[in-house]
Amino acid sequence: MMAIVARIFRDAFSTRGFANGGRFRHQKLVFRIAVGASQFLLIATLIIACHSTAINISTNTNNNNCIQRYNKNTDYFPNKVKITHATGLAIEYHKHYKVVTIKNPWQNAKTTFQYALVQCGSPTPKGFNQAQIITVPIHSIVSLSTTHLPHLAKLGVVDKLIGLSDTKQVNTADVVERIKAGKVAQIGNNANVDIEKLLELNPDLVTTFVTGNTQTDNYVKLTEAGLKVGINAEYMEDTPLGRSEWLKFTALFFNKEAQAEKIFKEIAEKYKQIAQKAKSAKIRPSVFVGFNFKGTWFMPGSKSYVAQYLADAGANYLWSYDKSSGSLPLSFEVVLERAANADYWLNLSQSWHSLQYLLAEDNRYADFKAVKTGNLYNNNARVNESGGNDYWEGGINNPDIILADLIKIFHPKILFNHQLFYYRKLI
C-alpha cells in the first residue's frame, strides 16, 4: 500500500521538462499535486480503516466463509478428522485454528513441517511464522502433483483448481474438463516451477511434495516468494490405506472434514472386505515385481505399500523376508536366481505394452517362468496419450480397486465378476 502512495507522489512531483516549462507546465504540476494529495488522503483513510478493524485478524478473498463476530468460546471446527492409517500426518484442533504436522516428509528426514490453518475472520495464533499460517477455507489452489487431483474431485472442489504442474499428464475426468475449458494454467514442476506465473495466479495454497534434495525441491523457493505451501507426503506411507488417507490432508484446507471422513471410511471398509475374501485362498502364488533399470532392479521391501498389497491379495511375495520399507537395489542375476520360478511377475516398465517390448529390452527376461507361462501383468491399463498413468493418480485414492485387480489376477474365482481396471495382461 505504501508503495502505491509513494508512486502517486513520485508521479505528481515529477519535474521532468519543467526547466523548459513555462506557465502551462507549472499549472499542470499544481493540478497533479492536488490530485496526488487527494488520492493520498483517500488511501490513508482506507489504511486507517483496515487497521482499525482487522488488526491480527486472518482474512480471505471470500467473506462468505469468514467469521463476522469472533467468539473465543466457539468451536469453529465442529467436524474433525481422525487419522487412523497414515503415520506421517497429525492434526491438532483448537477452537479457531488447527495445527497440521507433516512428520515424515521424505526418506530419513530429520525435520518436520507444521502449519496453522486459521479460520477466516479469527485471530492469528501466536508461535507460528508467517509462512506457516494459512487462512481457511481456501478458495484457490495450485497442485504440483497429479496425485493430489483425485482429492479435489472426491471433495467436490475441482472448481478451486487454477494451476497444475503438467496439464497433459492428468487423468482425473473433472480436472481434464476444467483444463479443456482453459481454467487451469500449467506451472511446471520441482526445480522448473514457474514462480512468476504462480505469483500472477496468486493462489491461496500450493500443494507439493519434497524429497530432501535441495537442488530439485521447490518448497523453499515457493515460500521465499511469499506463497502458501502445503507439503503432501503421501508417497512416504507404507500401506495402501495410509496413502489414501491423505485425502484428509487436502480436506483440512477446505474445511471439508465431514466429507473426507465419510469418503475414506467407505474406501477403508471396501478394502478390508475385499482383503478378507482373499484370506480364503488355499494357495498363495509366488510373485515378484519391477524390472531392471540401467543395471539395477529396485525391489520393494516387505514393509512397503506394494508388499502390503500383495499380502492382502493372497500372494507370496518373494522378498517378504526383507524388513525394509524402501526399495532394495539388486542385480539382474540376484533377482533371476530367486524369482526364476515365480508364478507371476507384476509392475513392469510402463512403456512395455506387449511381450515383444519386454524381450526387446533384454532377452534374459525369457528365462523367467512367468514369461514362459504368460503370467505377466502390468499396471499401465489406464495411460493417457501423454503418458500420464492413472495407477499413480486415481489409484492412490482407490486402493480397494487395485486390491480387487490383484485378487482377480492371483485368485480369479474369488472375484469372478471383477474386471481388471488398473492392470492388464501383457501378451
Side-chain angles (χ1 to χ4, degrees), residues 77 79-83 89-93 98-102 115 117-119 134-138 155 205 245-258 260:
F77 305 113
N79 298 312
K80 299 173 175 59
V81 294
K82 182 179 180 182
I83 303 302
L89 176 64
I91 300 115
E92 180 183 335
Y93 282 93
K98 39 198 171 186
V99 179
V100 182
T101 303
I102 313 302
Y115 313 103
L117 309 189
V118 185
Q119 180 62 32
I134 301 173
T135 302
V136 294
I138 62 170
L155 294 170
L205 178 70
E245 193 169 25
W246 278 77
L247 165 74
K248 297 178 183 179
F249 171 77
T250 302
L252 291 168
F253 297 94
F254 294 96
N255 287 349
K256 294 281 187 177
E257 280 94 332

Short mmCIF file of all heavy atoms in Angstrom, two decimals, residues 77 79-83 89-93 98-102 115 117-119 134-138 155 205 245-258 260:
data_model
loop_
_atom_site.label_atom_id
_atom_site.label_comp_id
_atom_site.label_asym_id
_atom_site.label_seq_id
_atom_site.Cartn_x
_atom_site.Cartn_y
_atom_site.Cartn_z
N PHE A 77 -14.68 -25.53 14.34
CA PHE A 77 -14.46 -26.77 13.57
C PHE A 77 -15.21 -27.93 14.23
O PHE A 77 -14.61 -28.85 14.79
CB PHE A 77 -12.97 -27.09 13.49
CG PHE A 77 -12.14 -25.97 12.92
CD1 PHE A 77 -11.22 -25.31 13.72
CD2 PHE A 77 -12.29 -25.59 11.60
CE1 PHE A 77 -10.45 -24.27 13.20
CE2 PHE A 77 -11.53 -24.56 11.07
CZ PHE A 77 -10.61 -23.89 11.87
N ASN A 79 -16.73 -30.35 12.87
CA ASN A 79 -16.41 -31.59 12.17
C ASN A 79 -14.89 -31.77 12.14
O ASN A 79 -14.17 -30.89 11.67
CB ASN A 79 -16.95 -31.57 10.74
CG ASN A 79 -18.46 -31.46 10.70
OD1 ASN A 79 -19.16 -32.18 11.41
ND2 ASN A 79 -18.96 -30.53 9.90
N LYS A 80 -14.43 -32.89 12.66
CA LYS A 80 -12.99 -33.13 12.77
C LYS A 80 -12.62 -34.45 12.10
O LYS A 80 -13.45 -35.37 12.02
CB LYS A 80 -12.57 -33.14 14.24
CG LYS A 80 -12.83 -31.82 14.96
CD LYS A 80 -12.55 -31.93 16.45
CE LYS A 80 -12.69 -30.60 17.14
NZ LYS A 80 -14.02 -29.97 17.01
N VAL A 81 -11.38 -34.54 11.64
CA VAL A 81 -10.90 -35.81 11.09
C VAL A 81 -10.02 -36.50 12.12
O VAL A 81 -9.37 -35.84 12.94
CB VAL A 81 -10.10 -35.61 9.78
CG1 VAL A 81 -10.98 -35.09 8.67
CG2 VAL A 81 -8.90 -34.70 9.99
N LYS A 82 -10.01 -37.80 12.04
CA LYS A 82 -9.15 -38.61 12.90
C LYS A 82 -8.27 -39.46 12.00
O LYS A 82 -8.77 -40.15 11.12
CB LYS A 82 -9.99 -39.49 13.83
CG LYS A 82 -9.16 -40.33 14.78
CD LYS A 82 -10.05 -41.18 15.69
CE LYS A 82 -9.21 -42.02 16.64
NZ LYS A 82 -10.09 -42.87 17.50
N ILE A 83 -6.97 -39.39 12.21
CA ILE A 83 -6.03 -40.14 11.38
C ILE A 83 -5.88 -41.55 11.93
O ILE A 83 -5.49 -41.74 13.08
CB ILE A 83 -4.66 -39.44 11.32
CG1 ILE A 83 -4.81 -38.01 10.81
CG2 ILE A 83 -3.70 -40.22 10.44
CD1 ILE A 83 -5.46 -37.91 9.45
N LEU A 89 1.17 -38.02 9.20
CA LEU A 89 0.29 -36.87 9.29
C LEU A 89 -0.38 -36.80 10.66
O LEU A 89 -0.87 -37.81 11.16
CB LEU A 89 -0.79 -36.95 8.20
CG LEU A 89 -1.88 -35.89 8.16
CD1 LEU A 89 -1.27 -34.53 7.86
CD2 LEU A 89 -2.92 -36.25 7.10
N ALA A 90 -0.37 -35.61 11.26
CA ALA A 90 -1.03 -35.42 12.56
C ALA A 90 -1.79 -34.10 12.55
O ALA A 90 -1.32 -33.12 11.97
CB ALA A 90 -0.01 -35.43 13.69
N ILE A 91 -2.96 -34.09 13.18
CA ILE A 91 -3.79 -32.88 13.25
C ILE A 91 -4.19 -32.62 14.69
O ILE A 91 -4.62 -33.54 15.40
CB ILE A 91 -5.05 -32.99 12.38
CG1 ILE A 91 -4.68 -33.20 10.92
CG2 ILE A 91 -5.89 -31.74 12.49
CD1 ILE A 91 -5.12 -34.53 10.39
N GLU A 92 -4.03 -31.39 15.12
CA GLU A 92 -4.44 -30.98 16.46
C GLU A 92 -5.42 -29.82 16.32
O GLU A 92 -5.09 -28.78 15.74
CB GLU A 92 -3.22 -30.54 17.28
CG GLU A 92 -3.55 -30.08 18.69
CD GLU A 92 -2.31 -29.59 19.43
OE1 GLU A 92 -1.19 -30.01 19.07
OE2 GLU A 92 -2.48 -28.76 20.36
N TYR A 93 -6.62 -30.00 16.85
CA TYR A 93 -7.66 -28.98 16.72
C TYR A 93 -7.69 -28.03 17.91
O TYR A 93 -7.58 -28.45 19.06
CB TYR A 93 -9.03 -29.64 16.57
CG TYR A 93 -9.31 -30.19 15.20
CD1 TYR A 93 -9.03 -31.51 14.89
CD2 TYR A 93 -9.87 -29.38 14.20
CE1 TYR A 93 -9.29 -32.02 13.61
CE2 TYR A 93 -10.14 -29.87 12.94
CZ TYR A 93 -9.84 -31.20 12.66
OH TYR A 93 -10.10 -31.69 11.40
N LYS A 98 -6.40 -25.01 13.43
CA LYS A 98 -5.97 -26.40 13.52
C LYS A 98 -4.49 -26.49 13.12
O LYS A 98 -4.06 -25.84 12.17
CB LYS A 98 -6.83 -27.31 12.65
CG LYS A 98 -7.23 -26.72 11.30
CD LYS A 98 -8.41 -27.45 10.67
CE LYS A 98 -8.93 -26.73 9.45
NZ LYS A 98 -10.15 -27.31 8.87
N VAL A 99 -3.73 -27.27 13.85
CA VAL A 99 -2.30 -27.41 13.59
C VAL A 99 -2.05 -28.73 12.86
O VAL A 99 -2.42 -29.80 13.35
CB VAL A 99 -1.49 -27.39 14.91
CG1 VAL A 99 0.00 -27.56 14.61
CG2 VAL A 99 -1.74 -26.08 15.65
N VAL A 100 -1.45 -28.62 11.69
CA VAL A 100 -1.16 -29.79 10.86
C VAL A 100 0.34 -30.04 10.88
O VAL A 100 1.13 -29.13 10.60
CB VAL A 100 -1.62 -29.57 9.41
CG1 VAL A 100 -1.37 -30.82 8.56
CG2 VAL A 100 -3.09 -29.19 9.36
N THR A 101 0.74 -31.25 11.21
CA THR A 101 2.16 -31.60 11.28
C THR A 101 2.48 -32.70 10.27
O THR A 101 1.81 -33.74 10.24
CB THR A 101 2.55 -32.09 12.69
OG1 THR A 101 2.22 -31.08 13.64
CG2 THR A 101 4.04 -32.40 12.76
N ILE A 102 3.49 -32.46 9.43
CA ILE A 102 3.99 -33.46 8.48
C ILE A 102 5.21 -34.08 9.14
O ILE A 102 6.28 -33.46 9.22
CB ILE A 102 4.36 -32.81 7.13
CG1 ILE A 102 3.24 -31.88 6.66
CG2 ILE A 102 4.67 -33.88 6.10
CD1 ILE A 102 1.90 -32.54 6.50
N TYR A 115 1.83 -26.41 10.04
CA TYR A 115 1.02 -25.30 9.57
C TYR A 115 -0.09 -25.01 10.57
O TYR A 115 -0.62 -25.93 11.20
CB TYR A 115 0.37 -25.63 8.22
CG TYR A 115 1.31 -26.21 7.21
CD1 TYR A 115 1.30 -27.58 6.93
CD2 TYR A 115 2.22 -25.41 6.53
CE1 TYR A 115 2.18 -28.13 6.01
CE2 TYR A 115 3.10 -25.95 5.61
CZ TYR A 115 3.07 -27.30 5.35
OH TYR A 115 3.94 -27.83 4.45
N LEU A 117 -3.74 -23.68 10.38
CA LEU A 117 -4.85 -23.36 9.49
C LEU A 117 -5.88 -22.57 10.30
O LEU A 117 -6.56 -23.14 11.16
CB LEU A 117 -5.46 -24.64 8.91
CG LEU A 117 -4.47 -25.64 8.27
CD1 LEU A 117 -5.24 -26.73 7.54
CD2 LEU A 117 -3.51 -24.94 7.33
N VAL A 118 -5.98 -21.28 10.01
CA VAL A 118 -6.76 -20.36 10.83
C VAL A 118 -8.08 -20.03 10.14
O VAL A 118 -8.10 -19.63 8.98
CB VAL A 118 -5.97 -19.07 11.09
CG1 VAL A 118 -6.73 -18.16 12.06
CG2 VAL A 118 -4.58 -19.39 11.63
N GLN A 119 -9.17 -20.20 10.88
CA GLN A 119 -10.47 -19.88 10.32
C GLN A 119 -10.55 -18.39 9.97
O GLN A 119 -10.18 -17.53 10.77
CB GLN A 119 -11.59 -20.23 11.32
CG GLN A 119 -12.98 -19.91 10.83
CD GLN A 119 -13.37 -20.70 9.58
OE1 GLN A 119 -12.92 -21.82 9.40
NE2 GLN A 119 -14.18 -20.10 8.72
N ILE A 134 -1.99 -20.25 7.35
CA ILE A 134 -2.82 -20.33 6.16
C ILE A 134 -4.27 -20.13 6.56
O ILE A 134 -4.79 -20.84 7.42
CB ILE A 134 -2.64 -21.69 5.44
CG1 ILE A 134 -1.18 -21.88 5.05
CG2 ILE A 134 -3.56 -21.78 4.22
CD1 ILE A 134 -0.86 -23.24 4.48
N THR A 135 -4.92 -19.16 5.93
CA THR A 135 -6.33 -18.89 6.23
C THR A 135 -7.22 -19.90 5.52
O THR A 135 -7.03 -20.18 4.34
CB THR A 135 -6.70 -17.47 5.77
OG1 THR A 135 -5.85 -16.52 6.43
CG2 THR A 135 -8.15 -17.16 6.09
N VAL A 136 -8.17 -20.45 6.24
CA VAL A 136 -9.11 -21.42 5.67
C VAL A 136 -10.55 -20.94 5.87
O VAL A 136 -10.83 -20.19 6.80
CB VAL A 136 -8.92 -22.81 6.31
CG1 VAL A 136 -7.56 -23.38 5.95
CG2 VAL A 136 -9.09 -22.77 7.84
N PRO A 137 -11.47 -21.36 5.01
CA PRO A 137 -11.22 -22.25 3.88
C PRO A 137 -10.57 -21.51 2.72
O PRO A 137 -10.83 -20.33 2.51
CB PRO A 137 -12.63 -22.73 3.50
CG PRO A 137 -13.52 -21.58 3.89
CD PRO A 137 -12.91 -21.02 5.15
N ILE A 138 -9.72 -22.23 1.98
CA ILE A 138 -9.09 -21.62 0.82
C ILE A 138 -10.08 -21.60 -0.35
O ILE A 138 -11.04 -22.37 -0.38
CB ILE A 138 -7.81 -22.38 0.41
CG1 ILE A 138 -8.14 -23.82 0.00
CG2 ILE A 138 -6.78 -22.35 1.52
CD1 ILE A 138 -6.98 -24.56 -0.65
N LEU A 155 -13.79 -34.45 -3.13
CA LEU A 155 -14.30 -33.46 -2.19
C LEU A 155 -15.21 -32.42 -2.86
O LEU A 155 -15.78 -31.57 -2.19
CB LEU A 155 -13.13 -32.74 -1.50
CG LEU A 155 -12.27 -33.61 -0.58
CD1 LEU A 155 -11.01 -32.84 -0.16
CD2 LEU A 155 -13.04 -34.07 0.65
N LEU A 205 -3.27 -21.47 -1.92
CA LEU A 205 -2.43 -22.59 -1.49
C LEU A 205 -1.78 -23.26 -2.70
O LEU A 205 -2.40 -23.40 -3.75
CB LEU A 205 -3.27 -23.63 -0.74
CG LEU A 205 -2.54 -24.89 -0.26
CD1 LEU A 205 -1.57 -24.56 0.88
CD2 LEU A 205 -3.53 -25.97 0.17
N GLU A 245 -5.42 -42.12 2.88
CA GLU A 245 -5.95 -41.27 3.94
C GLU A 245 -5.49 -39.83 3.83
O GLU A 245 -6.06 -38.93 4.47
CB GLU A 245 -5.59 -41.84 5.31
CG GLU A 245 -6.39 -41.19 6.44
CD GLU A 245 -6.24 -41.90 7.76
OE1 GLU A 245 -5.21 -42.58 7.97
OE2 GLU A 245 -7.14 -41.78 8.61
N TRP A 246 -4.49 -39.55 2.99
CA TRP A 246 -4.04 -38.17 2.82
C TRP A 246 -5.10 -37.31 2.13
O TRP A 246 -4.94 -36.10 1.99
CB TRP A 246 -2.70 -38.13 2.08
CG TRP A 246 -1.56 -38.39 3.00
CD1 TRP A 246 -1.17 -39.60 3.51
CD2 TRP A 246 -0.67 -37.41 3.57
NE1 TRP A 246 -0.09 -39.44 4.36
CE2 TRP A 246 0.23 -38.11 4.41
CE3 TRP A 246 -0.56 -36.04 3.44
CZ2 TRP A 246 1.24 -37.45 5.11
CZ3 TRP A 246 0.45 -35.38 4.15
CH2 TRP A 246 1.33 -36.09 4.97
N LEU A 247 -6.18 -37.93 1.72
CA LEU A 247 -7.36 -37.17 1.29
C LEU A 247 -7.76 -36.19 2.38
O LEU A 247 -8.20 -35.06 2.10
CB LEU A 247 -8.51 -38.14 1.00
CG LEU A 247 -9.91 -37.55 0.88
CD1 LEU A 247 -10.06 -36.83 -0.44
CD2 LEU A 247 -10.97 -38.63 1.02
N LYS A 248 -7.61 -36.60 3.63
CA LYS A 248 -7.99 -35.76 4.76
C LYS A 248 -7.09 -34.53 4.87
O LYS A 248 -7.52 -33.47 5.33
CB LYS A 248 -7.95 -36.58 6.06
CG LYS A 248 -8.94 -37.73 6.09
CD LYS A 248 -8.82 -38.55 7.37
CE LYS A 248 -9.77 -39.74 7.36
NZ LYS A 248 -9.66 -40.56 8.58
N PHE A 249 -5.84 -34.66 4.45
CA PHE A 249 -4.91 -33.53 4.45
C PHE A 249 -5.45 -32.42 3.56
O PHE A 249 -5.53 -31.25 3.95
CB PHE A 249 -3.54 -33.99 3.97
CG PHE A 249 -2.55 -32.89 3.71
CD1 PHE A 249 -1.91 -32.25 4.76
CD2 PHE A 249 -2.27 -32.48 2.41
CE1 PHE A 249 -0.99 -31.23 4.53
CE2 PHE A 249 -1.35 -31.47 2.17
CZ PHE A 249 -0.73 -30.84 3.22
N THR A 250 -5.85 -32.78 2.35
CA THR A 250 -6.41 -31.79 1.42
C THR A 250 -7.70 -31.20 1.97
O THR A 250 -7.95 -30.00 1.87
CB THR A 250 -6.66 -32.43 0.05
OG1 THR A 250 -5.44 -32.96 -0.46
CG2 THR A 250 -7.22 -31.42 -0.93
N ALA A 251 -8.53 -32.05 2.57
CA ALA A 251 -9.82 -31.60 3.09
C ALA A 251 -9.68 -30.53 4.16
O ALA A 251 -10.54 -29.65 4.29
CB ALA A 251 -10.59 -32.79 3.66
N LEU A 252 -8.60 -30.57 4.94
CA LEU A 252 -8.39 -29.62 6.02
C LEU A 252 -8.38 -28.18 5.53
O LEU A 252 -8.86 -27.27 6.21
CB LEU A 252 -7.06 -29.92 6.74
CG LEU A 252 -7.01 -31.21 7.56
CD1 LEU A 252 -5.58 -31.52 7.95
CD2 LEU A 252 -7.89 -31.10 8.79
N PHE A 253 -7.83 -27.96 4.34
CA PHE A 253 -7.70 -26.60 3.82
C PHE A 253 -9.03 -26.04 3.30
O PHE A 253 -9.17 -24.84 3.15
CB PHE A 253 -6.66 -26.58 2.69
CG PHE A 253 -5.27 -26.93 3.15
CD1 PHE A 253 -4.81 -28.23 3.06
CD2 PHE A 253 -4.45 -25.97 3.69
CE1 PHE A 253 -3.53 -28.57 3.48
CE2 PHE A 253 -3.17 -26.29 4.12
CZ PHE A 253 -2.71 -27.59 4.02
N PHE A 254 -9.98 -26.93 3.03
CA PHE A 254 -11.30 -26.50 2.55
C PHE A 254 -12.37 -26.60 3.64
O PHE A 254 -13.55 -26.36 3.36
CB PHE A 254 -11.72 -27.36 1.36
CG PHE A 254 -10.87 -27.19 0.13
CD1 PHE A 254 -9.82 -28.04 -0.14
CD2 PHE A 254 -11.11 -26.15 -0.75
CE1 PHE A 254 -9.02 -27.88 -1.27
CE2 PHE A 254 -10.34 -25.97 -1.88
CZ PHE A 254 -9.29 -26.84 -2.14
N ASN A 255 -11.96 -27.02 4.83
CA ASN A 255 -12.93 -27.30 5.92
C ASN A 255 -13.93 -28.36 5.48
O ASN A 255 -15.12 -28.28 5.79
CB ASN A 255 -13.65 -26.02 6.35
CG ASN A 255 -12.75 -25.08 7.14
OD1 ASN A 255 -11.65 -25.45 7.55
ND2 ASN A 255 -13.21 -23.86 7.36
N LYS A 256 -13.43 -29.37 4.79
CA LYS A 256 -14.28 -30.46 4.28
C LYS A 256 -14.06 -31.74 5.09
O LYS A 256 -14.12 -32.85 4.54
CB LYS A 256 -13.97 -30.71 2.81
CG LYS A 256 -14.33 -29.58 1.86
CD LYS A 256 -15.81 -29.57 1.54
CE LYS A 256 -16.17 -28.57 0.47
NZ LYS A 256 -17.60 -28.60 0.11
N GLU A 257 -13.87 -31.59 6.38
CA GLU A 257 -13.58 -32.76 7.21
C GLU A 257 -14.70 -33.81 7.18
O GLU A 257 -14.43 -35.01 7.12
CB GLU A 257 -13.33 -32.32 8.66
CG GLU A 257 -11.94 -31.80 8.93
CD GLU A 257 -11.84 -30.29 8.81
OE1 GLU A 257 -12.63 -29.71 8.04
OE2 GLU A 257 -10.98 -29.69 9.48
N ALA A 258 -15.93 -33.37 7.25
CA ALA A 258 -17.05 -34.31 7.29
C ALA A 258 -17.09 -35.17 6.03
O ALA A 258 -17.26 -36.40 6.10
CB ALA A 258 -18.37 -33.55 7.44
N ALA A 260 -14.55 -35.80 3.98
CA ALA A 260 -13.36 -36.64 3.92
C ALA A 260 -13.50 -37.88 4.81
O ALA A 260 -13.10 -38.99 4.43
CB ALA A 260 -12.13 -35.84 4.32
#
